[in-house]
Structure formats: structure tokens, C-alpha cells
Amino acid sequence: SFGYYKECVDCCSKVLNEIENFNVEINYNFYYKYLFNMYVSTYYLNKEESKKNADKIKLLINKIPQIKNIYLENKDFYDKQFSFCL
């Protein structure tokens, strides 16, 4: 019954792997969206994995200014979403 979430995780994993290995040009808006979609999908499949994804996003927010700017554009929403597992 969680097939769509699993498919989303699979898709996000492949795209994120390409971005993080610098095989494709980084578009930070897309990168953040894939990170967030991965977080949401893993939330419904595996809460522990979801926490790891949220921690990774928080780390990237503090490390990459472009990611931080995207996060800050809708900070209240993202904080509310991350509060479910952090």
C-alpha cells in the first residue's frame, strides 16, 4: 500500500546520487525539492530513515548558502514538517 512512496524514494535516490556525485549540474531549487520529497516519502516508509534525511537537510542548510536561502523562503512550513521527526 506504500508503493508510491517507495517509487518516490527510488526516484529521489537516483537523482540525488547524480547531483551529489556531480554527474549533473546542480540546480539548488531542484536539489532541495528532491531532498524534501525524499524526507516526506521516507516519513511514511521508515521513520528512522526520515530522521536521517531531515538531519541531512539541516546539515546542508547550515553548509550551503543557496540551500539555506530556499529553506528560509518557507521556514515556518519546513520547520513544522521537520518537527514530526526531529
Side-chain angles (χ1 to χ4, degrees), residues 28-78:
Y28 289 101
N29 285 315
F30 286 135
Y31 184 38
Y32 191 86
K33 287 178 185 181
Y34 278 105
L35 290 167
F36 188 72
N37 285 328
M38 175 74 103
Y39 162 74
V40 171
S41 295
T42 54
Y43 178 81
Y44 292 102
L45 290 173
N46 180 336
K47 298 282 194 289
E48 190 58 37
E49 190 67 27
S50 180
K51 183 180 179 337
K52 290 178 189 176
N53 287 324
D55 289 338
K56 177 180 179 177
I57 293 170
K58 289 290 190 174
L59 177 73
L60 292 172
I61 287 167
N62 292 320
K63 188 176 178 182
I64 303 172
Q66 295 92 330
I67 297 292
K68 184 175 186 174
N69 290 337
I70 295 165
Y71 162 76
L72 290 174
E73 287 176 5
N74 208 353
K75 182 183 183 307
D76 292 338
F77 169 77
Y78 291 122

Side-chain angles (χ1 to χ4, degrees), residues 3-36:
Y4 290 117
Y5 295 118
K6 176 72 171 108
E7 289 175 3
C8 183
V9 168
D10 292 344
C11 177
C12 288
S13 294
K14 289 179 182 182
V15 172
L16 290 170
N17 183 55
E18 293 297 310
I19 292 170
E20 292 167 353
N21 286 305
F22 303 103
N23 294 328
V24 295
E25 184 178 339
I26 294 177
N27 175 310
Y28 289 101
N29 285 315
F30 286 135
Y31 184 38
Y32 191 86
K33 287 178 185 181
Y34 278 105
L35 290 167
F36 188 72

